[in-house]
Amino acid sequence: MYTTNASRGLPRHRSRHPTERYGRWAGRALVAALVVSLLWLVLAFHLNGQWMFALLFLVLGSSLAVVFTKRSLMSHRYIFPAVAGLGVFVIFPLLYTIGISFSNYSSSNLLSEERVRDQLLSRTFQAEGAAFDFALYRDGERARLYLHGGDLTPEDALPEASQGFVTPPLNLDNPEPRRVGLQAVDRPPSGEPLPMREVIAARGALQGLRLVTPEGLELRMAGLRHFAPMLDRYEARDDGSLYDRRDDRVLTPDQQIGFFVTDDGESVTPGWPVAVGLDNYTRIFADPDIRGPFLQIFVWTFAFAGLTVLFTLAVGFVLAALLQWDQLRGKAIYRTLLILPYAVPAFISILIFKGMFNQHFGEVNMILDGLFGIRPEWFTDPWLARTMLLIVNTWLGYPYMLLLCMGLIQSIPRDLFEASAVDGGGPLTNLFRITLPQIIRPLTPLLIAAFAFNFNNFVLIALLTGGNPDILGASTPAGTTDLLVSYTYRIAFQDAGQNFGLAAAIATLIFLLVAGLSLLNLRLSRVKV
């Protein structure tokens, strides 16, 4: 007599559909492929000396393997892509920026110490001795190089008695370095020298040639017309120092500043990044040439963000209140027209305003000149430039506030307005006693968010004023209309020294300020953190 699993009290096993099994195997194969790809990136970055990126992708690959192989973490698989994106595009750049802020990373301290050493060892100098003029002569599909101690031009032929050197036929399409022996001759090869344009075209191959005279002297290309004895300038020593053959001095690596330093204290560029502790943060507040512009820009950034929120809220709130007026006809048309600036890309509006405020040909100055006989210097006067920024940003931002206020006003119970009418309240009483108190509380987190956005409004500054006019006496690129974010950008990418470490320190301070505003926003929104 046969018994079933059900009669024995054993659990029934549901057979899986083949499509489901294939789907599971396909998912596992995809996860395995992603893990292998990430491990390959780890190896590639490690071999190139980028240990931070190697560590990033190692953590990412390990997390991917753990989350998608352990059943207990199944619920985390759906949120993993978002968390991974947050780590790669937000957390890692933030940590990388904070790390740079504690270093002297700049255009002069950009390479690793090994690459700096290799670059110095690759430098050459022209040894004392005669430089040889040269010309190229066609020899079938190849060319011969003729060297002579006198003046040689492609247009002139040499006297027959001249002493010179000639190479075997060379393939000028081969740019690889090679040593070529020279043969002494008393006259140039037959034919006319090739024109200068062909010499320039073959420059890559000529620079790779090491020409050796019968006496053993090695010649290298020293210009578009000359070959000369070229020697390696630096010689590596066992203690890590470099000996300068040309100037007869020793260069010692200084790990405190990231440069090779001579005996008399001169730093030789390029250098390499080294840790400098809190020096960049100290410079912000201790160096008078940086502290003054930084504090001025810091105050202006807060004023710009705060006044922008105030003006856009005032315009948006008043317009929203007017659009709720029962006696107003054509509300739909007015709403569309007033919100229309919100639909136009910001950069288009900014560029249009830049033309309108042009000091010589702009429509604004033409109107002011016609009415009052004045032509304000919007882009050269600091206060007028700041006023222009607030005007333009108010125009760009009021539609957002208008939409917020319209939605919040419509949510106010109509009973409050009816009760106010019974008590004899007028439009202004309703506006300031009912409407504004009812919407200001839910509007506060959004106002803080708008403040944080305008705190980092880089696009407006970059397109309208570029930070100008400049602050006089500043040791870094700084303008009276710069915000902290544009000031940081100019230090990192427009300064002659490109001081990334100092820019990263300022960016870290900006992050702390914006993070504080975000926490305040969450608190006011009653979100648990």
Side-chain angles (χ1 to χ4, degrees), residues 50 91 103 151 196 234 307 335 337 429 436 440-441 505:
Q50 301 289 338
I91 297 178
S103 71
D151 295 331
M196 181 56 67
Y234 295 101
L307 291 175
R335 289 195 188 100
L337 294 176
T429 302
L436 187 58
I440 195 63
R441 184 176 181 84

Side-chain angles (χ1 to χ4, degrees), residues 204 261 283 410 435:
V261 181
R283 287 182 61 193
Q410 291 177 357
T435 303

Side-chain angles (χ1 to χ4, degrees), residues 316-374:
F317 175 69
V318 171
L319 293 176
L322 292 175
L323 290 175
Q324 301 300 319
W325 189 21
D326 295 334
Q327 285 75 19
L328 182 65
R329 297 182 178 181
K331 295 181 181 180
I333 298 176
Y334 285 120
R335 289 195 188 100
T336 303
L337 294 176
L338 292 174
I339 298 174
L340 191 60
Y342 199 50
V344 179
F347 78 93
I348 294 179
S349 298
I350 294 171
L351 294 178
I352 291 174
F353 272 105
K354 187 174 183 178
M356 293 176 61
F357 278 98
N358 186 279
Q359 297 174 184
H360 304 288
F361 309 105
E363 289 80 0
V364 174
N365 274 11
M366 291 176 62
I367 295 174
L368 293 177
D369 188 23
L371 295 177
F372 307 105
I374 60 174

